[in-house]
Amino acid sequence: KGLVDCGFVSLPAPNDLEASFLLQDNLVVILPENHPLADAPVYPVERVSSEDFINLKEEQDYEINLFLEHLRQSPRIKFEVSSDFAILAMVECGLGISVVHDLILHPNRHGIIKKPLDEPYYRDIAIATSAAAQPSTITRMFCEHALEWARDTSSAIAPATAEAPEYAELAK
């Protein structure tokens, strides 16, 4: 029927949804373990254009493409794939670097190094239901559980950074 009880969305959410903030998810650079900047505290954004870059296909991730569009220089795309997990494996094999959402790296079972960007970017993730209808009891319980999980784990997953612009700001 095309109906959804609830879903995870990036904020700001459309007006026809009732959304509750869950957590902030930062963009991070992932590097092979032997990368020259593996021990650096942050990854300089301007270096993205000088390294082999593994990109997620445009239709797969709006926020990462929005971030890449706002770089002063375009990345040197060597590979373009349709799976986050393909990117993780390719970076682990030393085929290049990439930018991914920190959330997909938990738990990090890959032989990669994640680095915060020196110019941080993040998305606010929410759980949303229809604003026009009252959610069912099970949907309401699931949303409450998601909010509780986010409160308990969000600082370990993606600590907020006050100076990081939201993706929504980039879209303006």
Side-chain angles (χ1 to χ4, degrees):
K1 292 183 181 182
L3 299 175
V4 176
D5 291 327
C6 65
F8 297 100
V9 298
S10 291
L11 293 174
N15 292 337
D16 61 341
L17 297 177
E18 186 70 39
S20 298
F21 172 80
L22 290 173
L23 56 88
Q24 285 184 340
D25 183 21
N26 294 306
L27 283 184
V28 296
V29 171
I30 53 172
L31 312 168
E33 292 178 323
N34 63 351
H35 191 276
L37 294 177
D39 294 325
V42 296
Y43 184 89
V45 170
E46 71 270 359
R47 284 213 35 169
V48 170
S49 63
S50 64
E51 303 211 42
D52 290 339
F53 191 82
I54 304 165
N55 194 38
L56 194 60
K57 288 186 179 178
E58 185 174 334
E59 66 274 6
Q60 302 296 321
D61 199 310
Y62 171 76
E63 289 100 353
I64 290 175
N65 285 301
L66 190 59
F67 165 76
L68 293 174
E69 287 174 9
H70 284 81
L71 293 178
R72 289 176 278 290
Q73 299 172 350
S74 296
R76 190 172 70 205
I77 297 172
K78 185 170 183 179
F79 300 102
E80 193 166 55
V81 298
S82 57
S83 163
D84 290 314
F85 297 104
I87 289 175
L88 298 176
M90 292 171 80
V91 169
E92 184 176 10
C93 290
L95 298 175
I97 69 162
S98 194
V99 174
V100 298
H101 298 286
D102 193 21
L103 195 55
I104 71 159
L105 299 175
H106 294 275
N108 186 357
R109 296 187 187 117
H110 305 278
I112 58 174
I113 304 291
K114 80 171 182 177
K115 292 288 168 193
L117 297 162
D118 65 345
E119 299 175 27
Y121 292 90
Y122 68 90
R123 65 179 170 176
D124 284 334
I125 298 177
I127 191 160
T129 57
S130 171
Q134 189 72 4
S136 67
T137 301
I138 193 70
T139 299
R140 192 179 72 257
M141 290 174 64
F142 177 79
C143 292
E144 289 169 2
H145 177 74
L147 288 163
E148 183 178 319
W149 172 87
R151 276 193 299 276
D152 292 345
T153 61
S154 65
S155 63
I157 291 176
T161 54
E163 68 278 2
E166 291 185 61
Y167 299 144
E169 292 300 313
L170 291 176
K172 292 181 181 176

Coordinates of all heavy atoms in Angstrom, one line a residue, residues 35-128:
H35 N 48.2 4.1 6.0 CA 48.1 5.5 5.4 C 49.1 6.5 6.2 O 49.2 6.4 7.4 CB 46.7 6.0 5.5 CG 46.5 7.2 4.7 ND1 46.7 8.5 5.1 CD2 46.0 7.4 3.4 CE1 46.4 9.4 4.2 NE2 46.0 8.7 3.1
P36 N 49.7 7.4 5.5 CA 50.6 8.4 6.1 C 49.9 9.2 7.2 O 50.6 9.6 8.2 CB 51.1 9.3 5.0 CG 50.8 8.5 3.7 CD 49.7 7.5 4.0
L37 N 48.6 9.4 7.2 CA 47.9 10.2 8.2 C 47.2 9.3 9.2 O 46.4 9.8 10.0 CB 46.9 11.1 7.5 CG 47.5 12.2 6.7 CD1 46.4 13.1 6.0 CD2 48.5 13.1 7.5
A38 N 47.6 8.0 9.3 CA 46.9 7.1 10.2 C 47.1 7.6 11.7 O 46.2 7.3 12.5 CB 47.5 5.7 10.1
D39 N 48.1 8.2 12.0 CA 48.3 8.7 13.4 C 48.0 10.2 13.6 O 48.1 10.7 14.7 CB 49.8 8.5 13.8 CG 50.2 7.0 13.9 OD1 49.3 6.2 14.3 OD2 51.3 6.7 13.5
A40 N 47.5 10.8 12.6 CA 47.1 12.3 12.7 C 45.8 12.4 13.5 O 45.0 11.5 13.4 CB 47.0 12.9 11.3
P41 N 45.7 13.5 14.2 CA 44.4 13.6 15.0 C 43.2 13.9 14.2 O 42.1 13.4 14.5 CB 44.7 14.8 15.9 CG 45.8 15.6 15.3 CD 46.6 14.5 14.5
V42 N 43.4 14.5 13.0 CA 42.2 14.8 12.1 C 42.7 14.7 10.7 O 44.0 14.7 10.4 CB 41.6 16.2 12.3 CG1 41.0 16.4 13.7 CG2 42.7 17.3 12.1
Y43 N 41.8 14.6 9.8 CA 42.1 14.5 8.3 C 41.8 15.8 7.7 O 40.7 16.3 7.8 CB 41.3 13.4 7.7 CG 41.7 13.2 6.2 CD1 42.8 12.3 5.9 CD2 41.1 13.9 5.2 CE1 43.1 12.2 4.5 CE2 41.4 13.7 3.9 CZ 42.5 12.9 3.6 OH 42.8 12.7 2.3
P44 N 42.8 16.5 7.0 CA 42.5 17.7 6.4 C 41.7 17.6 5.1 O 42.0 16.8 4.2 CB 43.9 18.3 6.0 CG 44.9 17.2 6.4 CD 44.2 16.1 7.0
V45 N 40.5 18.2 5.1 CA 39.6 18.1 4.0 C 40.2 18.4 2.7 O 39.9 17.7 1.7 CB 38.3 19.0 4.2 CG1 37.5 19.1 3.0 CG2 37.6 18.6 5.4
E46 N 41.1 19.3 2.6 CA 41.8 19.7 1.3 C 42.6 18.6 0.7 O 42.8 18.6 -0.5 CB 42.6 21.0 1.4 CG 43.9 20.8 2.2 CD 43.8 21.1 3.7 OE1 42.7 21.4 4.2 OE2 44.8 20.9 4.4
R47 N 42.9 17.5 1.5 CA 43.7 16.4 1.0 C 42.8 15.4 0.2 O 43.3 14.6 -0.6 CB 44.3 15.6 2.1 CG 45.6 16.4 2.6 CD 46.7 15.5 3.0 NE 46.9 14.3 2.4 CZ 48.0 13.5 2.6 NH1 48.9 14.0 3.4 NH2 48.1 12.4 2.0
V48 N 41.5 15.5 0.3 CA 40.6 14.6 -0.4 C 40.8 14.6 -1.9 O 40.8 13.5 -2.5 CB 39.1 14.9 -0.1 CG1 38.2 14.1 -1.0 CG2 38.8 14.6 1.4
S49 N 41.1 15.7 -2.4 CA 41.3 15.8 -3.9 C 42.6 15.3 -4.4 O 42.8 15.1 -5.6 CB 41.2 17.3 -4.3 OG 42.2 18.1 -3.7
S50 N 43.6 15.0 -3.5 CA 44.9 14.5 -3.9 C 45.1 13.0 -3.6 O 46.2 12.5 -3.8 CB 46.0 15.3 -3.2 OG 45.9 15.1 -1.8
E51 N 44.0 12.3 -3.2 CA 44.1 10.9 -2.9 C 43.1 10.1 -3.8 O 42.1 10.7 -4.2 CB 43.9 10.6 -1.5 CG 44.8 11.4 -0.6 CD 45.1 10.7 0.7 OE1 45.3 9.4 0.7 OE2 45.1 11.3 1.8
D52 N 43.4 8.9 -4.0 CA 42.4 8.0 -4.7 C 41.2 7.9 -3.8 O 41.4 7.5 -2.6 CB 43.0 6.6 -5.0 CG 44.1 6.7 -6.1 OD1 44.1 7.6 -6.9 OD2 45.0 5.8 -6.1
F53 N 40.1 8.2 -4.3 CA 38.8 8.2 -3.5 C 37.9 7.2 -4.0 O 37.6 7.0 -5.2 CB 38.2 9.6 -3.7 CG 37.1 9.9 -2.7 CD1 37.4 10.3 -1.4 CD2 35.8 9.7 -3.1 CE1 36.3 10.5 -0.5 CE2 34.7 9.9 -2.2 CZ 35.0 10.4 -0.9
I54 N 37.3 6.5 -3.1 CA 36.2 5.5 -3.3 C 34.9 6.1 -3.0 O 34.7 6.4 -1.8 CB 36.5 4.2 -2.5 CG1 37.9 3.7 -2.8 CG2 35.4 3.1 -2.9 CD1 38.4 2.6 -1.9
N55 N 34.1 6.3 -4.0 CA 32.8 7.0 -3.8 C 31.6 6.1 -3.8 O 31.6 5.1 -4.5 CB 32.7 8.0 -5.0 CG 31.6 9.1 -4.7 OD1 31.4 9.5 -3.6 ND2 30.9 9.5 -5.8
L56 N 30.6 6.5 -3.0 CA 29.3 5.8 -3.0 C 28.5 6.4 -4.1 O 28.4 7.6 -4.2 CB 28.7 6.0 -1.7 CG 27.5 5.1 -1.4 CD1 27.9 3.6 -1.4 CD2 26.9 5.4 0.0
K57 N 27.9 5.6 -5.0 CA 27.1 6.1 -6.1 C 26.1 7.1 -5.6 O 25.5 7.0 -4.5 CB 26.4 5.0 -6.8 CG 27.3 4.1 -7.6 CD 26.6 3.1 -8.4 CE 27.6 2.3 -9.2 NZ 27.0 1.2 -10.0
E58 N 25.8 8.1 -6.4 CA 25.0 9.3 -6.0 C 23.7 9.0 -5.4 O 23.3 9.5 -4.4 CB 24.9 10.2 -7.2 CG 24.1 11.5 -6.9 CD 24.1 12.5 -8.0 OE1 25.0 12.4 -8.9 OE2 23.2 13.3 -8.0
E59 N 23.0 8.0 -6.0 CA 21.6 7.7 -5.6 C 21.7 7.0 -4.2 O 20.6 6.8 -3.6 CB 20.9 6.9 -6.6 CG 21.4 5.5 -6.9 CD 22.5 5.4 -7.9 OE1 23.0 6.5 -8.4 OE2 22.9 4.3 -8.3
Q60 N 22.8 6.6 -3.8 CA 22.9 5.8 -2.5 C 23.0 6.7 -1.3 O 22.6 6.2 -0.2 CB 24.1 4.9 -2.6 CG 24.2 3.9 -3.7 CD 23.0 2.9 -3.6 OE1 22.6 2.4 -2.6 NE2 22.4 2.6 -4.8
D61 N 23.6 7.9 -1.3 CA 23.8 8.7 -0.1 C 23.8 10.1 -0.4 O 24.8 10.7 -0.9 CB 25.0 8.3 0.6 CG 25.0 8.7 2.0 OD1 24.8 9.9 2.3 OD2 25.3 7.9 2.9
Y62 N 22.7 10.8 -0.2 CA 22.5 12.2 -0.5 C 23.5 13.1 0.3 O 24.1 14.0 -0.2 CB 21.1 12.6 -0.2 CG 20.8 14.1 -0.2 CD1 20.7 14.7 -1.5 CD2 20.6 14.8 0.9 CE1 20.5 16.1 -1.5 CE2 20.4 16.2 0.9 CZ 20.3 16.8 -0.3 OH 20.1 18.1 -0.4
E63 N 23.6 12.8 1.6 CA 24.4 13.6 2.5 C 25.9 13.6 2.1 O 26.5 14.7 2.1 CB 24.2 13.3 4.0 CG 22.9 13.6 4.5 CD 22.0 12.4 4.6 OE1 22.3 11.3 4.1 OE2 20.9 12.5 5.2
I64 N 26.5 12.5 1.8 CA 27.9 12.4 1.4 C 28.1 13.2 0.1 O 29.1 13.9 0.0 CB 28.4 11.0 1.4 CG1 28.4 10.4 2.8 CG2 29.8 10.9 0.7 CD1 28.8 9.0 2.9
N65 N 27.2 13.0 -0.8 CA 27.4 13.7 -2.1 C 27.2 15.2 -1.9 O 27.9 16.0 -2.5 CB 26.4 13.2 -3.1 CG 26.8 11.9 -3.7 OD1 27.9 11.8 -4.2 ND2 26.0 10.9 -3.5
L66 N 26.3 15.6 -1.0 CA 26.2 17.1 -0.7 C 27.5 17.6 -0.1 O 28.0 18.7 -0.5 CB 25.0 17.3 0.3 CG 24.6 18.7 0.5 CD1 24.1 19.4 -0.7 CD2 23.4 18.7 1.6
F67 N 28.1 16.9 0.8 CA 29.4 17.3 1.4 C 30.5 17.4 0.3 O 31.2 18.4 0.3 CB 29.8 16.2 2.5 CG 31.3 16.3 2.9 CD1 31.7 17.4 3.7 CD2 32.2 15.4 2.4 CE1 33.0 17.5 4.1 CE2 33.5 15.6 2.7 CZ 33.9 16.6 3.6
L68 N 30.6 16.4 -0.6 CA 31.6 16.4 -1.6 C 31.4 17.6 -2.6 O 32.4 18.2 -3.1 CB 31.6 15.1 -2.4 CG 32.0 13.9 -1.6 CD1 31.9 12.6 -2.4 CD2 33.5 14.0 -1.1
E69 N 30.1 17.9 -2.9 CA 29.9 19.0 -3.7 C 30.3 20.4 -3.2 O 30.7 21.3 -3.9 CB 28.3 19.1 -4.0 CG 27.8 18.1 -5.0 CD 26.3 18.1 -5.1 OE1 25.7 19.1 -4.6 OE2 25.7 17.2 -5.7
H70 N 30.4 20.5 -1.9 CA 30.8 21.7 -1.2 C 32.3 21.8 -0.9 O 32.8 22.8 -0.4 CB 30.0 21.9 0.1 CG 28.6 22.4 -0.2 ND1 27.6 21.5 -0.6 CD2 28.1 23.6 -0.2 CE1 26.5 22.2 -0.8 NE2 26.8 23.5 -0.6
L71 N 33.1 20.8 -1.3 CA 34.5 20.9 -1.2 C 35.1 21.9 -2.2 O 34.5 22.1 -3.3 CB 35.2 19.5 -1.5 CG 34.9 18.4 -0.5 CD1 35.6 17.1 -1.0 CD2 35.4 18.8 0.9
R72 N 36.2 22.6 -1.8 CA 36.8 23.5 -2.7 C 37.4 22.9 -3.9 O 37.5 23.5 -5.0 CB 37.9 24.3 -1.9 CG 37.3 25.2 -0.9 CD 38.3 25.9 0.0 NE 38.8 25.2 1.1 CZ 38.2 24.9 2.2 NH1 36.9 25.2 2.3 NH2 38.7 24.2 3.2
Q73 N 37.7 21.6 -3.8 CA 38.3 20.8 -4.9 C 37.5 19.5 -5.0 O 37.2 18.9 -3.9 CB 39.8 20.6 -4.8 CG 40.6 21.9 -4.7 CD 42.0 21.6 -4.3 OE1 42.4 20.5 -4.0 NE2 42.9 22.6 -4.4
S74 N 37.3 19.0 -6.2 CA 36.6 17.7 -6.3 C 37.5 16.6 -5.9 O 38.7 16.6 -6.2 CB 36.1 17.6 -7.8 OG 35.2 18.5 -8.1
P75 N 36.9 15.5 -5.4 CA 37.7 14.4 -5.1 C 38.2 13.7 -6.4 O 37.5 13.8 -7.4 CB 36.8 13.5 -4.3 CG 35.4 13.9 -4.6 CD 35.5 15.4 -5.0
R76 N 39.3 13.0 -6.3 CA 39.8 12.2 -7.4 C 39.2 10.8 -7.3 O 39.8 9.9 -6.7 CB 41.4 12.2 -7.3 CG 42.0 11.6 -8.6 CD 43.5 11.8 -8.5 NE 44.1 10.9 -7.5 CZ 45.2 11.1 -6.9 NH1 45.9 12.1 -7.2 NH2 45.7 10.2 -6.1
I77 N 38.1 10.6 -7.9 CA 37.3 9.4 -7.8 C 38.0 8.3 -8.6 O 38.1 8.4 -9.8 CB 35.8 9.6 -8.1 CG1 35.2 10.6 -7.2 CG2 35.1 8.2 -8.1 CD1 33.8 11.0 -7.6
K78 N 38.4 7.2 -7.9 CA 39.0 6.1 -8.6 C 38.0 5.0 -8.8 O 38.1 4.3 -9.8 CB 40.2 5.6 -7.8 CG 41.0 4.5 -8.5 CD 42.3 4.2 -7.8 CE 43.1 3.1 -8.6 NZ 44.4 2.8 -8.0
F79 N 37.2 4.8 -7.8 CA 36.1 3.7 -7.9 C 34.8 4.3 -7.4 O 34.8 5.2 -6.5 CB 36.5 2.6 -7.0 CG 37.8 1.9 -7.3 CD1 38.9 2.1 -6.5 CD2 37.9 1.0 -8.4 CE1 40.1 1.5 -6.8 CE2 39.0 0.4 -8.7 CZ 40.2 0.6 -7.9
E80 N 33.7 3.8 -8.0 CA 32.4 4.2 -7.5 C 31.6 2.9 -7.3 O 31.5 2.1 -8.3 CB 31.7 5.1 -8.6 CG 30.5 5.8 -8.1 CD 30.0 6.9 -9.0 OE1 29.8 6.7 -10.2 OE2 29.9 8.0 -8.5
V81 N 31.1 2.8 -6.1 CA 30.4 1.5 -5.8 C 29.0 1.8 -5.2 O 28.7 3.0 -4.9 CB 31.3 0.7 -4.8 CG1 32.6 0.3 -5.4 CG2 31.5 1.5 -3.5
S82 N 28.2 0.8 -5.0 CA 26.9 1.0 -4.5 C 26.7 0.4 -3.1 O 25.5 0.3 -2.7 CB 25.8 0.4 -5.5 OG 26.1 -1.0 -5.7
S83 N 27.7 0.1 -2.4 CA 27.6 -0.5 -1.1 C 28.6 0.1 -0.1 O 29.8 0.2 -0.4 CB 27.8 -2.0 -1.1 OG 28.1 -2.5 0.1
D84 N 28.2 0.6 1.0 CA 29.1 1.0 2.1 C 30.1 0.0 2.5 O 31.3 0.2 2.7 CB 28.3 1.4 3.4 CG 27.5 2.6 3.2 OD1 28.0 3.6 2.7 OD2 26.3 2.6 3.6
F85 N 29.6 -1.3 2.5 CA 30.5 -2.4 2.9 C 31.6 -2.7 1.9 O 32.7 -3.1 2.2 CB 29.7 -3.6 3.3 CG 28.8 -3.3 4.5 CD1 27.5 -3.1 4.3 CD2 29.4 -3.2 5.8 CE1 26.7 -2.7 5.4 CE2 28.6 -2.8 6.9 CZ 27.3 -2.6 6.7
A86 N 31.3 -2.4 0.6 CA 32.3 -2.5 -0.5 C 33.4 -1.5 -0.3 O 34.6 -1.7 -0.4 CB 31.7 -2.4 -1.9
I87 N 32.9 -0.3 0.1 CA 33.9 0.8 0.4 C 34.8 0.4 1.5 O 36.0 0.5 1.5 CB 33.2 2.1 0.7 CG1 32.6 2.7 -0.5 CG2 34.1 3.1 1.3 CD1 31.7 3.9 -0.3
L88 N 34.3 -0.1 2.6 CA 35.1 -0.5 3.8 C 36.1 -1.6 3.4 O 37.3 -1.5 3.7 CB 34.2 -1.1 4.9 CG 33.2 -0.1 5.5 CD1 32.3 -0.8 6.5 CD2 33.8 1.1 6.1
A89 N 35.7 -2.6 2.6 CA 36.6 -3.6 2.1 C 37.7 -3.1 1.2 O 38.9 -3.4 1.3 CB 35.9 -4.7 1.4
M90 N 37.3 -2.2 0.3 CA 38.3 -1.6 -0.6 C 39.3 -0.7 0.1 O 40.5 -0.7 -0.2 CB 37.6 -0.8 -1.7 CG 36.8 -1.8 -2.6 SD 35.7 -0.9 -3.8 CE 36.9 -0.4 -5.0
V91 N 38.9 0.1 1.1 CA 39.8 0.9 1.9 C 40.7 0.0 2.7 O 41.9 0.2 2.7 CB 39.0 1.9 2.8 CG1 40.0 2.5 3.8 CG2 38.3 2.9 1.9
E92 N 40.2 -1.1 3.2 CA 41.0 -2.0 4.0 C 42.1 -2.6 3.1 O 43.2 -2.9 3.6 CB 40.1 -3.1 4.6 CG 40.8 -4.1 5.5 CD 39.9 -5.1 6.1 OE1 38.7 -5.2 5.8 OE2 40.4 -5.8 7.0
C93 N 41.8 -2.8 1.9 CA 42.8 -3.4 0.9 C 43.8 -2.4 0.4 O 44.6 -2.7 -0.4 CB 42.1 -4.1 -0.3 SG 41.2 -5.6 0.2
G94 N 43.6 -1.1 0.8 CA 44.5 -0.1 0.4 C 44.2 0.5 -1.0 O 45.1 1.1 -1.6
L95 N 43.0 0.4 -1.5 CA 42.7 0.9 -2.8 C 42.3 2.4 -2.9 O 42.1 2.9 -3.9 CB 41.5 0.1 -3.4 CG 41.8 -1.4 -3.6 CD1 40.6 -2.2 -4.1 CD2 43.0 -1.6 -4.6
G96 N 42.3 3.0 -1.7 CA 41.9 4.4 -1.6 C 41.4 4.8 -0.3 O 41.4 4.0 0.7
I97 N 40.8 6.0 -0.2 CA 40.2 6.5 1.0 C 38.7 6.8 0.7 O 38.3 6.8 -0.4 CB 40.9 7.7 1.6 CG1 40.6 8.9 0.6 CG2 42.4 7.5 1.8 CD1 40.9 10.3 1.2
S98 N 38.0 7.1 1.7 CA 36.6 7.4 1.5 C 36.1 8.3 2.7 O 36.7 8.4 3.7 CB 35.7 6.2 1.3 OG 34.4 6.6 0.7
V99 N 34.9 8.8 2.5 CA 34.1 9.5 3.5 C 32.8 8.7 3.7 O 32.1 8.4 2.8 CB 33.8 11.0 3.1 CG1 32.9 11.7 4.1 CG2 35.1 11.8 2.9
V100 N 32.6 8.4 5.0 CA 31.4 7.6 5.3 C 30.8 8.2 6.6 O 31.3 9.0 7.3 CB 31.7 6.1 5.6 CG1 32.3 5.4 4.3 CG2 32.7 5.9 6.8
H101 N 29.6 7.7 6.9 CA 28.9 8.1 8.1 C 29.5 7.2 9.3 O 29.7 6.0 9.1 CB 27.4 7.8 8.0 CG 26.7 8.5 7.0 ND1 26.4 9.9 7.1 CD2 26.2 8.2 5.8 CE1 25.8 10.3 6.0 NE2 25.7 9.3 5.2
D102 N 29.8 7.9 10.3 CA 30.4 7.2 11.5 C 29.6 6.0 12.0 O 30.1 5.0 12.4 CB 30.6 8.2 12.6 CG 31.5 7.7 13.7 OD1 32.3 6.8 13.5 OD2 31.4 8.3 14.8
L103 N 28.3 6.2 11.9 CA 27.4 5.2 12.4 C 27.6 3.8 11.7 O 27.4 2.8 12.4 CB 25.9 5.6 12.1 CG 24.8 4.9 12.9 CD1 25.0 4.9 14.4 CD2 23.5 5.6 12.6
I104 N 28.0 3.7 10.5 CA 28.2 2.4 9.8 C 29.4 1.7 10.3 O 29.6 0.5 10.1 CB 28.2 2.5 8.3 CG1 29.5 3.1 7.8 CG2 27.0 3.1 7.8 CD1 29.8 2.8 6.4
L105 N 30.3 2.4 11.1 CA 31.5 1.8 11.6 C 31.4 1.2 12.9 O 32.4 0.8 13.5 CB 32.6 2.9 11.6 CG 33.0 3.5 10.2 CD1 34.0 4.6 10.4 CD2 33.5 2.4 9.2
H106 N 30.2 1.1 13.5 CA 30.1 0.5 14.8 C 29.4 -0.8 14.8 O 28.2 -0.9 14.3 CB 29.3 1.5 15.7 CG 30.1 2.8 15.9 ND1 31.0 2.9 16.9 CD2 30.1 3.9 15.3 CE1 31.6 4.1 16.9 NE2 31.1 4.7 15.9
P107 N 29.9 -1.8 15.3 CA 31.3 -1.9 15.8 C 32.3 -1.9 14.6 O 31.9 -2.5 13.5 CB 31.4 -3.1 16.6 CG 30.3 -4.0 16.0 CD 29.3 -3.1 15.5
N108 N 33.5 -1.4 14.7 CA 34.5 -1.4 13.7 C 35.2 -2.8 13.6 O 36.1 -3.0 14.4 CB 35.5 -0.3 13.8 CG 36.4 -0.2 12.6 OD1 36.4 -1.0 11.7 ND2 37.3 0.8 12.7
R109 N 34.8 -3.6 12.7 CA 35.4 -4.9 12.5 C 36.4 -4.9 11.3 O 36.7 -6.0 10.9 CB 34.4 -6.0 12.4 CG 33.5 -6.1 13.6 CD 32.5 -7.3 13.5 NE 31.6 -7.3 14.6 CZ 30.3 -7.2 14.5 NH1 29.8 -7.0 13.3 NH2 29.5 -7.2 15.5
H110 N 36.7 -3.8 10.8 CA 37.5 -3.7 9.6 C 38.9 -3.2 9.9 O 39.1 -2.5 10.9 CB 36.8 -2.8 8.6 CG 35.4 -3.2 8.3 ND1 35.0 -4.1 7.4 CD2 34.2 -2.8 8.9 CE1 33.7 -4.3 7.4 NE2 33.2 -3.5 8.3
G111 N 39.8 -3.6 9.1 CA 41.2 -3.1 9.2 C 41.4 -1.7 8.6 O 42.1 -1.6 7.7
I112 N 40.6 -0.8 9.2 CA 40.7 0.6 8.7 C 40.9 1.6 9.8 O 40.6 1.2 11.0 CB 39.4 1.0 7.9 CG1 38.2 0.8 8.7 CG2 39.3 0.2 6.6 CD1 36.9 1.3 8.1
I113 N 41.3 2.8 9.5 CA 41.4 3.8 10.5 C 40.4 4.9 10.2 O 40.3 5.3 9.0 CB 42.8 4.5 10.4 CG1 43.9 3.4 10.6 CG2 43.0 5.6 11.4 CD1 44.0 2.8 11.9
K114 N 39.6 5.3 11.2 CA 38.7 6.4 10.9 C 39.3 7.7 11.5 O 39.9 7.6 12.6 CB 37.3 6.1 11.5 CG 37.1 6.3 13.0 CD 35.7 6.2 13.4 CE 35.5 6.4 14.8 NZ 34.2 6.4 15.3
K115 N 39.1 8.8 10.8 CA 39.6 10.1 11.3 C 38.5 11.1 11.2 O 37.8 11.2 10.2 CB 40.7 10.5 10.4 CG 42.0 9.7 10.5 CD 42.6 10.0 11.8 CE 43.7 9.0 12.1 NZ 44.2 9.1 13.4
P116 N 38.3 11.9 12.2 CA 37.4 13.1 12.0 C 38.0 14.0 11.0 O 39.2 14.1 10.8 CB 37.4 13.7 13.4 CG 38.6 13.2 14.1 CD 39.0 11.9 13.5
L117 N 37.1 14.7 10.3 CA 37.5 15.8 9.4 C 37.9 17.0 10.1 O 37.4 17.3 11.2 CB 36.4 16.1 8.4 CG 35.9 15.0 7.5 CD1 34.5 15.3 7.0 CD2 36.9 14.7 6.4
D118 N 38.9 17.8 9.6 CA 39.3 19.0 10.2 C 38.2 20.1 10.1 O 38.2 21.1 10.8 CB 40.6 19.5 9.7 CG 40.6 19.9 8.3 OD1 39.7 19.6 7.5 OD2 41.6 20.6 7.9
E119 N 37.2 19.9 9.2 CA 36.0 20.7 9.0 C 34.8 19.7 9.2 O 34.4 19.2 8.2 CB 36.0 21.3 7.7 CG 37.2 22.3 7.4 CD 37.1 22.8 6.0 OE1 36.0 22.9 5.3 OE2 38.2 23.1 5.5
P120 N 34.4 19.5 10.4 CA 33.4 18.5 10.7 C 32.0 18.8 10.0 O 31.6 19.9 9.9 CB 33.2 18.5 12.2 CG 34.3 19.4 12.7 CD 34.8 20.2 11.6
Y121 N 31.4 17.7 9.7 CA 30.0 17.7 9.1 C 29.2 16.6 9.8 O 29.8 15.5 10.0 CB 30.0 17.5 7.6 CG 30.6 18.7 6.9 CD1 32.0 18.7 6.6 CD2 29.8 19.8 6.5 CE1 32.5 19.8 5.9 CE2 30.4 20.9 5.9 CZ 31.7 20.9 5.6 OH 32.3 21.9 5.0
Y122 N 27.9 16.8 10.0 CA 27.1 15.8 10.6 C 25.7 15.9 10.1 O 25.3 16.8 9.5 CB 27.1 15.9 12.1 CG 26.4 17.1 12.7 CD1 25.1 17.1 13.0 CD2 27.1 18.3 12.9 CE1 24.4 18.2 13.4 CE2 26.5 19.4 13.4 CZ 25.1 19.4 13.6 OH 24.5 20.5 14.1
R123 N 25.0 14.8 10.4 CA 23.5 14.8 10.1 C 22.8 14.5 11.4 O 23.4 13.8 12.3 CB 23.1 13.8 9.0 CG 23.4 12.3 9.5 CD 23.0 11.4 8.4 NE 23.5 10.0 8.7 CZ 23.2 9.0 8.0 NH1 22.5 9.1 6.9 NH2 23.7 7.8 8.3
D124 N 21.7 15.1 11.6 CA 20.8 14.7 12.8 C 19.8 13.7 12.3 O 19.1 13.9 11.3 CB 20.0 16.0 13.2 CG 20.9 17.0 14.0 OD1 21.9 16.5 14.6 OD2 20.6 18.1 14.0
I125 N 19.8 12.6 13.0 CA 18.9 11.5 12.7 C 17.8 11.5 13.7 O 18.0 11.6 14.9 CB 19.7 10.1 12.7 CG1 20.8 10.1 11.7 CG2 18.7 9.0 12.5 CD1 21.7 8.9 11.7
A126 N 16.6 11.2 13.1 CA 15.4 11.2 13.9 C 14.6 9.9 13.6 O 14.8 9.3 12.5 CB 14.5 12.4 13.7
I127 N 13.7 9.6 14.4 CA 12.7 8.6 14.1 C 11.4 9.3 13.9 O 11.0 10.3 14.6 CB 12.5 7.5 15.2 CG1 11.7 6.3 14.7 CG2 12.1 8.0 16.5 CD1 11.9 5.0 15.4
A128 N 10.6 8.9 12.8 CA 9.5 9.7 12.4 C 8.3 8.8 12.2 O 8.4 7.6 11.8 CB 9.8 10.5 11.2

